[in-house]
Amino acid sequence: MAVALKEDYQRALNEQKKEVRELVIAGLEQIKEGKTKDFNTVCDRLEKKYRDEAISN
C-alpha cells in the first residue's frame, strides 16, 4: 500500500513540475509577443496560482 501511495505522489509531483514548466514557457512566449513587458508579472501570476491551488487542496 505504501509503495502505491509513493508512486501516486511521485506521479502527481511530476505532473505538477511539467505544468509549471509549460506555464513558464507560455509566460515567456507572452513576453516575446509583447503581451506583457515584465517577467515579474508573469512570475507573480504563477506564484499566486500555485499558492491558491495549494491552499484549496
Side-chain angles (χ1 to χ4, degrees):
M1 178 83 171
V3 173
L5 289 175
K6 185 175 180 180
E7 288 175 1
D8 287 344
Y9 173 77
Q10 190 63 44
R11 192 172 310 126
L13 185 61
N14 288 339
E15 285 297 316
Q16 284 182 339
K17 287 179 182 180
K18 180 180 174 184
E19 184 178 346
V20 169
R21 284 192 300 271
E22 290 171 355
L23 289 170
V24 170
I25 290 169
L28 291 171
E29 288 299 319
Q30 287 178 356
I31 291 170
K32 288 179 187 176
E33 294 170 0
K35 293 182 180 175
T36 186
K37 301 285 186 219
D38 186 7
F39 188 68
N40 287 332
T41 303
V42 174
C43 292
D44 290 344
R45 189 171 52 227
L46 288 170
E47 184 178 353
K48 181 181 183 322
K49 177 187 185 319
Y50 280 95
R51 183 180 303 127
D52 292 346
E53 186 173 309
I55 291 171
S56 66
N57 287 336

